[in-house]
Amino acid sequence: MRNNCANCAISMNMVNMKGAAMRQITITADKKYLLIPVGNVKGWTIPAESIQYLSIYQNGSLVEEYEVCLDASPRCWSCLYLERYAGETLELRLEGGDESLIELLEVSDTLKDADTLYREPMRPLAHITPMHGFMNDPNGLFYLNGKYHCFAQLNPYGLGVGNTHWMHMVSSDLMHWQELPYALLPDETGRMYSGCGAVDLQNTSGLGKDGIPPVFLFYTPAGSKSRWSRGKYFEIAAAVSTDGGMHFEKYAQNPIVQHIAYMNRDPKVVWDDQNQNWIMVIFLDNDRYMFLYSDNLLHWEQGETIRIRGSAECPDLFNLPIDNDMTQKKWVLWGSTDNYMIGHFEGRHFVPETDVIEGPTHRIDSAYSLEARSTGGYAAQTFANLPNGRVIQISWIRTVVSQGPFSSCLSIPNELRLVSTEQGPRLTVKPAAEVKDLRECSYSFVGRGLEEFERIPREYLGEAMDMTFKFSMKPDKLIAFSVRGVLIVYDPKIERLLLPVGAYKLALKDDTFELRVVTDRCSVELYADDGKFNLTLATVPDPTNISILSVLLDPGIGIDFEVHKLKSMWE
C-alpha cells in the first residue's frame, strides 16, 4: 500500500451513496498545501469515463469537491491551499477510477515544482499565466492603493474546463505579477463563473470598515455545472473585501440577482457618475444582454434588454472621451468577441447612438468564417478605478498548451481610446505604455530594403518580441514576410491582411502599411491602422524559430523597422 503523506492516516474503503467502494484518508492541515498529481487530458474537458471526484469533509460536512484525473505520472503537481483550515483535521475521499491514487496526495510547505516554476520552456515571458491548471476569462480587474488586481477563471486541478475558481494576481506595474491564493472557490451553488470587480469608493453599500472602501467581486454561481450544485440555477452573486481587495468573503444574502433567463451570467458593474447610480450589464442568451441598476450594489432593479449582434457572453462597459475631449464622453457597450455599441445613459436607460460596430475579428473573408471569427482573444475586460480615466483591457488567449503545468494565457494589457473617423467615433486598441518596461534590448533601421531583415543581429531577437514594421507601399505590389514562422501578407489591391486564420479588411493610410507585432511562446498579437485594427493568434510558435524573414517584397519598397526583445515578467 502506498502512503506518501506524512500527515495522512492510512487509507480505507468506504461505501458511497450508490453502494460502490471509495477510498478515504485523513489529513491534518498543518502546512501550506495539499499537493495533487494532475493527469494530462486531450481536449478541453476530462472524458466522462475518466472523471474522479475528490471530496473534502470537515467535521462531517462537505466543504470542497472537485472533478479530477489523478495520475501516478502526472503532467504537473497542483496545490490546494490549506491556510483556511489551519490545524484542522480533514477527511479526503476519492471516488471513481483508480481510487488508490488518493494515497499520492501530500501535505507540504513546498511546491513540487518550486525549482522550475515560471521558468518552464513553454511558459510565456510577457503574458499572465497561472502557476498550475487551465485558465480562461479574465475577471474582476481593478486598481486600488497602487496595486492592480487581476482575477481569472481557473481550474487548478486539471488542464481543461472544470472546477472553476477565481485566480488572484497582483501587480504594481501591470507587467510583473504575483499569484495569491484563490479568491473564490466553487461551492454548493456551482462553479465560480465570470464577473467583474468594483471599488465602492463612496461606500454606497455601507459595508466599508475603518474608512477603507469595500471592494466587490460580482460573479456567476454556475448552478448544475457540478455534481455538488445539481438542480441549481445560474444567478448573480457578490463577494466583498474590507481589507483593500486582498481577501474576499461571499455576501451572506446572495444571490443579489436571481435567475432571469437560461444561463444568464458574466456581470459587469460600473459607477455612473453623471446619474449617481451603479449599472450592471449581464449576458442573457444568444446575443441578448440586460441592464440592471442600483444605488448600493446590493439591491438591483431590471432595466432594458439589448442585442449586440454577433456577440455572446462577457459584456464590458466603460466610459471614454472622444479625442480626449472631456465634454464629449460616451459609453461603450462591448460584447465578446469585439463588437460594440456607443451611446449614453438618460437616467436609468441606455440610448445607443450607433448600430453595432463590427470589431476586427468580424471583418473577415474566409470559407470558414464562423471558426475564423473565434480568434485567440476573447472575453475581454477592463480595469475598474484606474487613475486619470485610463481604460485598459485584458483578454483571454485561447492557446492549448500541450506540456507544462498550465494551459492558455492572458493578453498583454491594451489601452483603449475613442477617436473620430469618417464613419463616426471608433475604438482604438494599442499596447499599454507599461509594456515597454519589459524591453531588454532594441534594434532598428529606417528606409532600408528587404535584405535588412537578414542583417538583424541575433542577440536582438527572441521568443518574446515587440516589433513595428512600416512599409512604403506600391499600389500593385503585395508584401509577404514571416515572424517566427507565422506568415503575414498584405495585398494593397484588395486591401486585405492575410493571416493563417483568414483575410481581414484593412485599408492603407497614405500609401503606408504599418503593423505592430508582439510575439511570445503562446501567442502573436497584431495592431494596425493606428489601433483601429487588432487581432490575436492563439498559437505556439516553434521555440527554435526566432527569425524575421522576407517572403515576397518588391525591391522598391522601403522599410522602417524596430524590434524590442522582451525579458521575462517573472524575473
Side-chain angles (χ1 to χ4, degrees):
M1 174 180 290
R2 292 170 294 187
N3 189 7
N4 297 327
C5 180
N7 298 79
C8 301
I10 298 296
S11 64
M12 60 178 288
N13 290 326
M14 293 186 61
V15 176
N16 65 16
M17 291 183 293
K18 296 182 180 179
M22 70 172 77
R23 290 287 187 99
Q24 73 166 9
I25 59 175
T26 300
I27 67 168
T28 301
D30 56 357
K31 294 182 174 153
K32 291 182 181 179
Y33 311 114
L34 176 67
L35 304 181
I36 299 173
V38 177
N40 201 9
V41 296
K42 295 181 178 180
W44 291 77
T45 57
I46 302 175
E49 64 274 11
S50 300
I51 292 176
Q52 299 173 289
Y53 291 95
L54 176 62
S55 306
I56 303 176
Y57 287 80
Q58 183 181 27
N59 299 323
S61 298
L62 180 64
V63 290
E64 298 184 51
E65 183 173 80
Y66 303 114
E67 296 177 2
V68 298
C69 182
L70 303 187
D71 198 317
S73 300
R75 174 168 157 179
C76 70
W77 284 82
S78 187
C79 68
L80 186 151
Y81 292 95
L82 292 174
E83 63 179 5
R84 58 189 171 276
Y85 304 118
E88 295 290 325
T89 298
L90 302 175
E91 180 185 301
L92 312 182
R93 301 177 185 176
L94 185 65
E95 178 185 345
D98 182 357
E99 294 168 356
S100 69
L101 293 172
I102 195 173
E103 297 166 22
L104 295 174
L105 303 182
E106 297 184 31
V107 175
S108 175
D109 281 324
T110 306
L111 298 172
K112 283 279 190 179
D113 57 355
D115 292 338
T116 59
L117 190 63
Y118 298 120
R119 294 190 295 275
E120 304 91 345
M122 286 294 294
R123 188 178 293 275
L125 300 174
H127 292 74
I128 291 173
T129 49
M131 286 198 305
H132 309 107
F134 174 87
M135 179 184 65
N136 50 302
D137 306 358
N139 296 150
L141 311 181
F142 70 88
Y143 176 87
L144 186 64
N145 299 329
K147 295 287 186 182
Y148 300 90
H149 293 253
C150 176
F151 304 79
Q153 303 277 276
L154 179 69
N155 177 5
Y157 315 122
L159 281 307
V161 177
N163 304 319
T164 312
H165 295 53
W166 274 34
M167 179 186 79
H168 187 187
M169 303 188 86
V170 294
S171 172
S172 59
D173 63 4
L174 263 182
M175 297 309 300
H176 298 85
W177 293 88
Q178 177 189 2
E179 185 170 333
L180 303 178
Y182 315 127
L184 299 177
L185 278 65
D187 56 24
E188 70 278 3
T189 66
R191 298 175 181 173
M192 300 290 99
Y193 274 19
S194 286
C196 71
V199 181
D200 187 8
L201 293 174
Q202 300 180 43
N203 195 24
T204 62
S205 63
L207 299 181
K209 294 181 180 179
D210 302 322
I212 300 173
V215 182
F216 280 69
L217 298 182
F218 293 92
Y219 64 96
T220 308
S224 297
K225 282 292 184 177
S226 62
R227 184 174 74 167
W228 195 7
S229 65
R230 283 175 184 164
K232 302 289 181 62
Y233 289 102
F234 277 47
E235 297 177 312
I236 307 301
V240 183
S241 170
T242 56
D243 66 355
M246 300 305 292
H247 304 87
F248 290 84
E249 294 288 338
K250 293 173 182 174
Y251 183 52
Q253 298 181 46
N254 280 332
I256 59 166
V257 178
Q258 295 186 346
H259 176 258
I260 297 173
Y262 193 49
M263 291 192 291
N264 50 218
R265 57 189 182 274
D266 309 337
K268 176 68 177 186
V269 175
V270 296
W271 173 253
D272 182 353
D273 194 53
Q274 179 178 352
N275 292 297
Q276 292 290 295
N277 60 252
W278 294 95
I279 306 168
M280 177 189 293
V281 58
I282 63 173
F283 170 69
L284 293 180
D285 53 39
N286 299 306
D287 60 0
R288 294 197 309 140
Y289 296 80
M290 174 180 279
F291 285 103
L292 299 96
Y293 302 91
S294 174
D295 294 320
N296 59 13
L297 291 171
L298 303 175
H299 304 95
W300 293 86
E301 62 182 49
Q302 293 184 24
E304 66 272 33
T305 298
I306 193 166
R307 292 183 180 272
I308 308 178
R309 187 180 61 253
S311 299
E313 303 183 312
C314 301
D316 201 357
L317 182 65
F318 46 89
N319 196 224
L320 278 170
I322 300 175
D323 302 325
N324 293 319
D325 181 353
M326 302 305 292
T327 67
Q328 292 291 317
K329 297 188 75 173
K330 300 295 179 182
W331 286 95
V332 179
L333 173 62
W334 172 291
S336 284
T337 44
D338 54 6
N339 287 348
Y340 60 95
M341 304 173 72
I342 298 172
H344 65 276
F345 284 91
E346 294 182 0
R348 299 190 173 194
H349 180 72
F350 180 69
V351 180
E353 298 177 23
T354 68
D355 195 359
V356 175
I357 300 168
E358 287 190 333
T361 65
H362 294 258
R363 300 197 295 268
I364 185 171
D365 298 321
S366 172
Y368 307 98
S369 59
L370 291 179
E371 293 182 21
R373 288 180 184 176
S374 183
T375 57
Y378 190 73
Q381 289 289 294
T382 50
F383 282 86
N385 199 44
L386 283 183
N388 304 315
R390 296 179 75 191
V391 175
I392 294 178
Q393 191 178 64
I394 291 177
S395 64
W396 169 38
I397 300 179
R398 296 178 285 186
T399 306
V400 177
V401 181
S402 61
Q403 55 184 291
F406 70 95
S407 190
S408 85
C409 64
L410 299 184
S411 72
I412 60 172
N414 291 305
E415 185 151 7
L416 277 57
R417 291 184 171 88
L418 267 181
V419 300
S420 297
T421 72
E422 293 180 357
Q423 295 77 35
R426 293 293 184 267
L427 280 175
T428 65
V429 180
K430 298 180 181 180
E434 287 82 354
V435 175
K436 295 179 181 179
D437 294 341
L438 290 186
R439 291 177 177 178
E440 180 178 345
C441 57
S442 303
Y443 180 84
S444 65
F445 57 78
V446 176
R448 303 290 181 85
L450 56 87
E451 73 281 354
E452 283 299 314
F453 288 139
E454 302 171 11
R455 298 174 182 166
I456 300 173
R458 189 172 177 83
E459 62 264 30
Y460 295 101
L461 304 176
E463 293 180 88
M465 295 182 285
D466 182 358
M467 296 155 282
T468 300
F469 302 81
K470 188 174 182 179
F471 300 92
S472 57
M473 300 296 299
K474 293 189 173 183
D476 59 343
K477 300 293 183 181
L478 64 77
I479 58 172
F481 61 102
S482 69
V483 176
R484 300 203 56 208
V486 175
L487 182 64
I488 300 172
V489 180
Y490 184 73
D491 188 340
K493 293 176 67 175
I494 59 173
E495 295 188 327
R496 294 294 186 272
L497 178 65
L498 283 69
L499 299 169
V501 293
Y504 294 86
K505 301 174 185 176
L506 184 60
L508 276 179
K509 184 177 181 180
D510 301 325
D511 295 326
T512 299
F513 175 59
E514 185 169 340
L515 183 69
R516 186 169 176 180
V517 182
V518 179
T519 67
D520 206 342
R521 290 172 173 170
C522 293
S523 60
V524 176
E525 291 158 289
L526 303 102
Y527 305 82
D529 195 14
D530 202 25
K532 290 187 284 296
F533 177 91
N534 73 289
L535 192 75
T536 301
L537 304 179
T539 185
V540 180
D542 179 352
T544 66
N545 186 349
I546 58 173
S547 65
I548 303 169
L549 298 176
S550 166
V551 177
L552 181 61
L553 286 175
D554 187 273
I557 291 177
I559 307 166
D560 298 346
F561 172 76
E562 63 181 52
V563 58
H564 309 280
K565 185 178 179 180
L566 302 180
K567 58 189 176 184
S568 173
M569 65 193 305
W570 310 111
E571 295 176 355

